[in-house]
């Protein structure tokens, strides 16, 4: 493909994502194109709230395909992520097979067949006829042992089930893995993925996001909202507000009829900070004078 053709594909994907409500910078759009061309998973890393999960959701929308999501958590094991056996149905089948004259091996083969298999997100994703988007969200919340389970899927797009053998993907899903960076991921996992870091948006990008996702906000108010949030992120906070908080705060301001962000309205602005500031200690860092100073800078 020529450089011109690639640039057109890149611009086209950015436009499709924008129409679906996601403002993607060229490096991210390029990574998504490479994920498709190379059939490799894409690891998105960045702070919570910068829009990593939304990438998978919008990608599924743009492709017109299913989104299958695996939400990771501490203690997540292979069975919860890959498959489980329907034990109740198996017990019932065993009862019904008591008078079956077939041998034990044949009965076991019947009991451990696919009709008794409960597909969890990873197995479901590789069993789809149409390639879905598989979102493995916040993989850093799971432990390293779970990462080891993922390697077979990410390398060969297959899963091993002891009772059935190896299940090879019917179609290859587009795999998006997100991490908030709360722990270091293994080198083995990183080697199997393309990589993109997503940072907090700059002023222009965040303003474009607000205009796209909150069209009811007047242009002047949207600009003030983004300037205020950008100022908040420069403060020393435990949890900096993400894009979701920006949009929530925009909705809160509109709901309360606040049409301008300035120092004279600091008192009313403070009534809306529950949508923007999400910890007790951070909230204590926003007395009236601080809010007034941030608003005056807008």
């Amino acid at each position: 493909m020529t450089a011109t053709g690639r640039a057109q594909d890149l611009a086209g994907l950015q436009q499709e994502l924008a129409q679906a409500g996601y403002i993607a910078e060229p490096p991210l759009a390029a990574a998504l194109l490479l994920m498709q061309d190379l059939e490799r998973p894409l690891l998105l890393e960045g702070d919570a709230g910068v829009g990593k999960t939304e990438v998978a959701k919008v990608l599924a929308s743009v492709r017109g395909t299913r989104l299958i999501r695996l939400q990771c958590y501490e203690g997540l094991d292979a069975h919860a992520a890959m498959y489980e056996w329907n034990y109740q149905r198996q017990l019932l089948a065993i009862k019904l097979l008591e008078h079956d004259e077939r041998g034990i091996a044949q009965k076991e083969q019947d009991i451990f067949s696919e009709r008794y298999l409960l597909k969890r997100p990873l197995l479901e994703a590789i069993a789809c006829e149409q390639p879905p988007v598989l979102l493995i969200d916040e993989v850093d919340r799971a432990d390293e042992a779970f990462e080891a389970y993922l390697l077979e899927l990410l390398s060969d797009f297959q899963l091993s089930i002891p009772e059935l053998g190896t299940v090879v993907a019917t179609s290859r899903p587009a795999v998006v893995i997100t991490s908030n960076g709360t722990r270091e991921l293994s080198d083995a996992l990183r080697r199997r993925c393309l990589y993109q870091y997503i940072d907090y948006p700059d002023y222009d990008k965040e303003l474009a996001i607000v205009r796209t996702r909150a069209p009811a906000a007047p242009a002047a108010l949207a600009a003030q909202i983004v300037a205020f949030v950008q100022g908040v992120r420069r403060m020393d906070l435990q949890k900096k507000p993400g894009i979701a908080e920006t949009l929530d705060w925009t909705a809160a301001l509109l709901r309360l009829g606040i049409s301008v962000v300035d120092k004279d309205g600091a008192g009313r602005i403070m009534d809306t900070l529950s949508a923007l500031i999400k910890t007790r200690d951070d909230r204590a860092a926003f007395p009236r004078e601080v809010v007034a100073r941030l608003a005056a800078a807008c």
Side-chain angles (χ1 to χ4, degrees), residues 164-184:
L164 290 179
T166 300
V167 179
V168 180
T170 304
S171 61
R172 287 201 171 195
V175 183
V176 177
I177 304 172
T178 73
S179 170
N180 293 334
T182 58
R183 69 169 177 85
E184 184 60 35

Side-chain angles (χ1 to χ4, degrees), residues 21-23 47-52 54 198-202 205-206 209-210 213 229-230 233 239-250 275-276:
Y22 193 92
I23 307 300
D47 291 337
V50 295
K52 303 183 299 296
E54 194 68 19
I198 300 182
D199 205 348
Y200 289 105
D202 60 20
K205 180 180 178 181
E206 190 157 25
I209 292 171
V210 171
R213 301 296 293 270
V229 173
Q230 294 276 323
R233 290 201 190 110
K239 185 184 183 306
K240 296 181 180 181
I243 298 170
E245 281 76 28
T246 302
L247 296 174
D248 285 346
W249 190 49
T250 302
L276 188 65

Side-chain angles (χ1 to χ4, degrees), residues 17-53:
L17 294 172
Q19 289 173 347
Y22 193 92
I23 307 300
E25 296 173 336
L28 175 57
L32 291 172
L33 285 177
L34 285 174
M35 178 182 71
Q36 175 180 310
D37 294 344
L38 303 179
E39 295 186 325
R40 295 281 296 278
L42 175 62
L43 172 61
L44 298 178
E45 204 164 31
D47 291 337
V50 295
K52 303 183 299 296
T53 299

Side-chain angles (χ1 to χ4, degrees), residues 23-156:
I23 307 300
E25 296 173 336
L28 175 57
L32 291 172
L33 285 177
L34 285 174
M35 178 182 71
Q36 175 180 310
D37 294 344
L38 303 179
E39 295 186 325
R40 295 281 296 278
L42 175 62
L43 172 61
L44 298 178
E45 204 164 31
D47 291 337
V50 295
K52 303 183 299 296
T53 299
E54 194 68 19
V55 171
K57 293 179 179 179
V58 174
L59 183 62
S61 176
V62 167
R63 288 190 171 190
T65 191
R66 286 184 61 193
L67 173 69
I68 298 176
R69 179 175 182 171
L70 172 64
Q71 178 62 54
C72 298
Y73 54 87
E74 186 177 355
L76 176 64
D77 61 15
H79 289 298
M82 298 180 184
Y83 70 93
E84 289 183 290
W85 290 106
N86 191 332
Y87 295 117
Q88 291 181 332
R89 287 194 63 197
Q90 285 178 316
L91 289 172
L92 179 59
I94 291 171
K95 188 69 175 176
L96 295 173
L97 290 173
E98 285 181 354
H99 303 292
D100 194 306
E101 296 181 357
R102 289 180 299 168
I104 294 176
Q106 289 179 307
K107 291 181 181 180
E108 286 183 350
Q109 188 175 10
D110 182 62
I111 292 170
F112 288 102
S113 61
E114 286 195 28
R115 60 179 170 171
Y116 297 105
L117 192 65
L118 298 174
K119 296 176 182 177
R120 298 310 184 200
L122 298 185
L123 181 57
E124 185 179 5
I126 66 171
C128 291
E129 292 293 333
Q130 180 183 1
V133 173
L134 172 61
L135 169 61
I136 303 175
D137 209 11
E138 297 182 321
V139 70
D140 52 319
R141 290 182 177 270
D143 55 29
E144 293 183 7
F146 178 72
E147 283 187 39
Y149 289 125
L150 284 178
L151 298 183
E152 182 182 18
L153 173 70
L154 300 181
S155 296
D156 304 317

